[in-house]
Amino acid sequence: MVAAGALGTGYAYTSVNDTREVLVVSSDIKRGEIIEAGDLAVVRVSVDPALTPVPGSQKAELEGSRAAVDLWAGTLLTAQAVTDNLVPGEGESLVGISLTPAQMPSEPLYGGDVVRIVTTPGDQGEITDKEPVTIEATVVGVSRAEETGETVVDVSVPEAEAADLAARAATGRVALVLDARER
């Protein structure tokens, strides 16, 4: 009994004192800003296994990266909070499209999905022999507007096509087509 108690106490002691060096944000960083040397600090903490903070040894590697989200001083840094690519990237624009359930597939959309935005007939249903205008896009984010029941899909498109897509989306005369995810 004494040996089992000693083993249990030893395990509890080492579990509590099992600390790691991780990165913590030392000053507020806005989304998209470059992470500089003074923005991060190495701290020693006991980390829950469910968390995945960035190890302190990666501090030099992350300098010069950009914040993917707003980072507040005192928070543990995770790999998802840092990016090398901003959205929208150079030469791209982000366009929000509000869609009813009838204007999009019921399959959930995820960031990175390649989609086509297709012009639909107007109120009078004037279908012509012309091919519908389609604009290829990449899904960046999806949210649901509870007040209207519509889904807002943020898509990244080439800058030259952004104004046309925004104008078409504003009329509500567009539909979203999800193409094969397998590439």
Side-chain angles (χ1 to χ4, degrees):
M1 293 281 257
V2 172
L7 284 174
T9 302
Y11 175 75
Y13 177 77
T14 58
S15 294
V16 170
N17 288 322
D18 184 25
T19 60
R20 295 190 284 167
E21 285 190 343
V22 297
L23 291 176
V24 66
V25 179
S26 57
S27 60
D28 293 349
I29 309 169
K30 298 286 183 204
R31 178 186 345 209
E33 288 183 344
I34 294 176
I35 298 172
E36 297 176 3
D39 294 332
L40 303 176
V42 177
V43 296
R44 199 160 184 81
V45 295
S46 179
V47 180
D48 187 299
L51 300 176
T52 56
V54 176
S57 61
Q58 293 184 9
K59 181 179 180 189
E61 296 169 30
L62 293 179
E63 291 171 11
S65 296
R66 292 187 180 268
V69 296
D70 289 339
L71 300 171
W72 307 110
T75 58
L76 291 177
L77 187 68
T78 63
Q80 297 81 6
V82 179
T83 185
D84 291 325
N85 304 317
L86 290 179
V87 175
E90 190 168 332
E92 297 176 341
S93 294
L94 196 61
V95 179
I97 303 169
S98 185
L99 302 165
T100 66
Q103 292 173 292
M104 60 184 292
S106 61
E107 177 70 21
L109 296 171
Y110 301 102
D113 280 343
V114 176
V115 297
R116 286 180 289 149
I117 311 301
V118 181
T119 302
T120 58
D123 293 335
Q124 304 301 318
E126 75 275 356
I127 297 177
T128 65
D129 291 340
K130 294 190 299 185
E131 286 289 316
V133 174
T134 62
I135 298 174
E136 286 202 19
T138 303
V139 174
V140 173
V142 180
S143 61
R144 183 161 169 80
E146 295 299 327
E147 312 82 46
T148 63
E150 293 185 347
T151 301
V152 178
V153 182
D154 292 331
V155 295
S156 177
V157 296
E159 207 171 79
E161 296 180 5
D164 184 42
L165 177 56
R168 290 176 189 280
T171 67
R173 294 181 44 206
V174 294
L176 184 140
V177 177
L178 174 62
D179 291 318
R181 286 188 169 130
E182 191 172 300
R183 301 273 178 237

